[in-house]
Amino acid sequence: MSDRRSSSYALAYWALRALPHLLLLLALLPVWELAVSTGFITSILVPPPSEIIASIWELYVLDGTIYPHFLITLTETVAGFAIGAAVAITLAVCSALSETFKRYVSPYAIVLNVTPGIALTPVVIAWFGYGMGSKVALAAIISFFPIFVNALTGLLQVDRDSEEMFRSLGASDRQAFLKLRVPASLPLVFAGLKIGLTTALIGAVVAEFAQATAGVGVLMNRFSFQLDMGSSIATLLSMTLIGLLLFYAMEFLDDRVVFWRREGRRSVVSRARARRWAAKFGGHESPETEAASSK
Amino acid sequence: MNMPTQNSGQADTADQAADAGAKDAVVAARGLSKTFADGTVVALEGASFDIAPGSFVSLVGPSGCGKSTLLRLIAGLIDKSSGHLKVHGKPVDAPRTDVGMMFQRATLLEWRTAIENVLLPTEIKRSLTKEDRRNAAELLRMVGLHDFRFSFPTQLSGGMQQRVALARLLQTGADVLLLDEPFGALDEFTRERLNVELMRIVAEVGATTLFVTHNIAEAIFLADQVFVMTPRPGRIASIVEVPFERPRSPSLQTSPEFNEVVAEVRDILGEDH
Ligand SMILES: Nc1ncnc2c1ncn2[C@@H]1O[C@H](COP(=O)(O)OP(=O)(O)OP(=O)(O)O)[C@@H](O)[C@H]1O
Ligand SMILES: [Mg+2]
């Protein structure tokens, strides 16, 4: 009950904060429209807002051309990201566990990092073809490094006092790794995942620009060649949408997993654990009944 | 080998005493020394002492005199360079379950609630039982944090975090407690209150306690014996007996007798204190 009320407050608060931004945007649109219609800006290069809105209407509502492409790019991005992240985190864990492994892997990771990943586009397309494969591959390749570096940094950062505490408790290396280093690395792992997700989208779209049969990148290329700037920008917005969607999905996960860094989440989880404890280990342990019985 | 006998009074020669020790000593050291790997820093030299069961020993001395080194030796976290060291009659060669340590920083795991932190030592040894959980809740009650047992460390004040760390230390079941400036990072008021609570709690559980501090008055107020240490090389310059009855109240610290002991310790430490 109180949760729902507080979330509706949050919504109202958010709306109130967003209002000025919305008003500013609404005020700018007529200026832009006017600038184009008076010929101050060439409409061939920059379409007036009305044209963009009309294209959005057409692409997203009337014939929905955008959706299959939207889904394809989204899939490529997520698949590429998942592969890149899985490989990155596996290698980071191995590097954190073995000094030797790290010594042999690091040079390649560094070479991969200083090589502009995007430059691999033609090679990747030659290897994996015009279909989704090459897009997934490029997304995976360029999302790999930020995730790897952040995860490895997270796993290698040691709080000496905490390590010593674990040692004084007679913990094995394995216990110290699982109970201390892994959880302690999570904030950085998630920071890496967020960057990786954004770069994965870049990889997918760039590969589509280069050579593809479907995806929002292809669509945008097509519109630009036709000098249909309105549709081109309407398509661009779909990429923004994919980006936002993924970013907030990741933010949500981050919030759940690394809850101890989020003030709001912390107290929610704290209450949830108290309830779970009471349910599992007996009602007399629950704070409510206890407060009652101690009075 | 033939180190100057220090004021513990019981050691004859290092070798003899290593076998003998005081019969009932919980911690017994003879000529205990530690030189760090680079070979230049003698962190601790020729420490000899016996610590009786249930006694409270304070270690006091300027920075770098080897207080932490001595504690870490007893905890089995580092290896000695020479000498003998026994806890409960057994040589120390690795961390062990009858010795527990607490640090200046609470070193709580941020992603665990207070009670989950307290349960960590048991969890490392074996899987948890209902009894362990009840015990942990009881310990949190003992340190006055029962209502906060499901709070995360970052929701607690510094003093509360140290109380959780203390409860965690007690959860280990160790009867030798090593406390390395446990309240050093806290404000005066909190520290004083926690000191009094600490005295009560270790008396209640009957633990043998080594307590490191920079503060002379605090060292004396808490302890049965004060090991006064001096640096370069780190050594125990003197062991001062503290004669006051227990339980002690903070007002003891203003009495002339108390200040005599303070003066004595200050004297041993020399000019810079
Ligand atoms: N791991 C180490 N490697 C090399 N030298 C060390 C190491 N640990 C401690 N020392 C040295 O040993 C000496 C004693 O250090 P120790 O930490 O025991 O002092 P301390 O009395 O605890 O000081 P403080 O009051 O500042 O904590 C110091 O000179 C220190 O530089
Ligand atoms: Mg120290």
Side-chain angles (χ1 to χ4, degrees):
Chain A
M1 191 64 192
S2 72
D3 274 2
R4 196 185 305 160
R5 196 167 60 217
S6 74
S7 78
S8 77
Y9 274 136
L11 202 69
Y13 174 76
W14 187 84
L16 217 63
R17 291 247 322 231
L19 200 63
H21 296 279
L22 219 67
L23 289 177
L24 182 66
L25 186 66
L26 285 178
L28 279 176
L29 288 180
V31 177
W32 177 359
E33 187 77 41
L34 203 72
V36 181
S37 65
T38 56
F40 185 72
I41 303 175
T42 323
S43 67
I44 296 183
L45 301 181
V46 181
S50 57
E51 197 183 319
I52 298 175
I53 292 167
S55 302
I56 292 175
W57 182 252
E58 198 181 313
L59 286 173
Y60 291 73
V61 183
L62 282 188
D63 40 82
T65 339
I66 198 91
Y67 295 112
H69 297 281
F70 182 92
L71 277 180
I72 283 173
T73 306
L74 182 65
T75 312
E76 291 162 354
T77 306
V78 172
F81 167 76
I83 294 170
V87 175
I89 288 176
T90 309
L91 291 186
V93 167
C94 294
S95 306
L97 288 175
S98 154
E99 187 58 37
T100 321
F101 190 90
K102 190 177 94 197
R103 230 188 4 260
Y104 283 96
V105 161
S106 302
Y108 299 102
I110 290 168
V111 166
L112 186 61
N113 183 39
V114 295
T115 313
I118 298 298
L120 284 173
T121 314
V123 183
V124 168
I125 288 176
W127 286 345
F128 296 96
Y130 295 165
M132 285 172 76
S134 55
K135 285 73 197 173
V136 172
L138 194 66
I141 288 169
I142 71 169
S143 65
F144 165 82
F145 193 78
I147 303 174
F148 174 74
V149 164
N150 277 281
L152 185 57
T153 311
L155 287 167
L156 289 183
Q157 69 181 359
V158 283
D159 177 40
R160 280 199 40 199
D161 291 351
S162 298
E163 293 256 293
E164 191 137 273
M165 188 267 292
F166 265 77
R167 237 156 41 79
S168 80
L169 293 176
S172 63
D173 287 351
R174 187 191 146 85
Q175 283 174 322
F177 187 75
L178 292 177
K179 288 181 195 289
L180 176 63
R181 276 164 75 182
V182 168
S185 75
L186 287 177
L188 265 178
V189 169
F190 269 87
L193 289 176
K194 280 188 211 167
I195 303 171
L197 198 52
T198 316
T199 51
L201 178 58
I202 296 176
V205 170
V206 167
E208 284 176 0
F209 280 158
Q211 200 62 264
T213 47
V216 286
V218 177
L219 206 59
M220 191 169 166
N221 247 356
R222 210 176 285 157
F223 289 133
S224 300
F225 279 129
Q226 296 163 1
L227 285 180
D228 181 353
M229 286 304 169
S231 303
S232 190
I233 288 179
T235 310
L236 177 69
L237 282 179
S238 73
M239 299 179 191
T240 311
L241 216 61
I242 294 178
L244 280 176
L245 201 71
L246 295 177
F247 179 80
Y248 278 110
M250 209 62 211
E251 233 359 63
F252 177 81
L253 260 183
D254 188 9
D255 223 51
R256 300 282 138 161
V257 178
V258 193
F259 63 87
W260 62 91
R261 290 285 167 94
R262 311 291 179 115
E263 222 160 294
R265 287 290 306 159
R266 218 160 40 197
S267 42
V268 174
V269 176
S270 162
R271 280 197 298 274
R273 297 229 177 145
R275 274 197 303 276
R276 202 175 63 196
W277 183 285
K280 263 168 92 175
F281 308 118
H284 74 281
E285 284 288 6
S286 105
E288 289 83 11
T289 53
E290 189 152 281
S293 67
S294 71
K295 281 195 179 122
Chain B
M1 225 37 203
N2 50 356
M3 41 101 215
T5 307
Q6 295 180 354
N7 302 11
S8 73
Q10 278 135 339
D12 298 319
T13 73
D15 282 313
Q16 269 178 12
D19 301 326
K23 283 284 170 310
D24 58 344
V26 174
V27 184
R30 293 294 176 273
L32 183 63
S33 300
K34 175 68 186 178
T35 307
F36 279 100
D38 53 19
T40 52
V41 187
V42 180
L44 187 70
E45 192 179 71
S48 297
F49 55 83
D50 287 305
I51 298 176
S55 65
F56 196 120
V57 172
S58 288
L59 269 64
V60 70
S63 189
C65 67
K67 304 183 293 291
S68 298
T69 302
L70 178 54
L71 252 58
R72 293 170 73 219
L73 280 167
I74 299 172
L77 291 169
I78 51 176
D79 292 327
K80 61 181 189 281
S81 306
S82 64
H84 301 273
L85 174 65
K86 286 180 176 178
V87 174
H88 286 308
K90 281 191 283 261
V92 176
D93 42 23
R96 38 198 279 180
T97 51
D98 52 354
V99 180
M101 188 153 177
M102 178 170 165
F103 306 86
Q104 180 167 1
R105 285 179 45 221
T107 62
L108 300 176
L109 304 179
E110 287 175 274
W111 47 90
R112 284 171 174 251
T113 59
I115 197 156
E116 289 163 351
N117 267 290
V118 173
L119 284 165
L120 179 72
T122 315
E123 217 179 292
I124 281 173
K125 273 181 258 171
R126 54 182 165 77
S127 51
L128 297 177
T129 65
K130 203 170 170 182
E131 191 48 48
D132 296 327
R133 295 195 177 85
R134 193 174 8 241
N135 190 48
E138 208 39 60
L139 288 172
L140 281 171
R141 189 193 305 281
M142 195 190 241
V143 298
L145 283 184
H146 197 251
D147 293 340
F148 292 91
R149 62 196 186 286
F150 297 112
S151 298
F152 287 98
T154 41
Q155 295 175 298
L156 302 174
S157 72
M160 290 157 99
Q161 291 182 20
Q162 284 299 19
R163 286 163 195 255
V164 178
L166 180 59
R168 180 181 62 193
L169 174 64
L170 297 171
Q171 174 78 13
T172 61
D175 62 353
V176 178
L177 308 182
L178 310 172
L179 300 109
D180 197 346
E181 301 184 56
F183 311 132
L186 304 177
D187 65 275
E188 186 91 27
F189 297 107
T190 314
R191 197 169 71 213
E192 215 156 84
R193 216 178 49 237
L194 285 178
N195 280 339
V196 173
E197 273 182 53
L198 177 70
M199 270 202 299
R200 171 180 64 80
I201 289 169
V202 296
E204 201 171 319
V205 301
T208 306
T209 311
L210 271 87
F211 181 93
V212 170
T213 174
H214 280 118
N215 186 312
I216 298 173
E218 179 179 278
I220 297 166
F221 176 64
L222 292 171
D224 302 313
Q225 286 184 319
V226 178
F227 290 10
V228 186
M229 299 182 66
T230 50
R232 278 171 302 264
R235 48 168 65 239
I236 300 178
S238 179
I239 295 177
V240 175
E241 301 287 337
V242 181
F244 309 113
E245 289 290 307
R246 291 181 188 275
R248 299 172 185 166
S249 89
S251 62
L252 171 68
Q253 297 179 60
T254 52
S255 74
E257 295 85 354
F258 188 87
N259 284 304
E260 261 172 48
V261 185
V262 172
E264 187 187 343
V265 171
R266 229 168 259 259
D267 224 38
I268 300 162
L269 286 170
E271 299 305 300
D272 47 320
H273 247 75

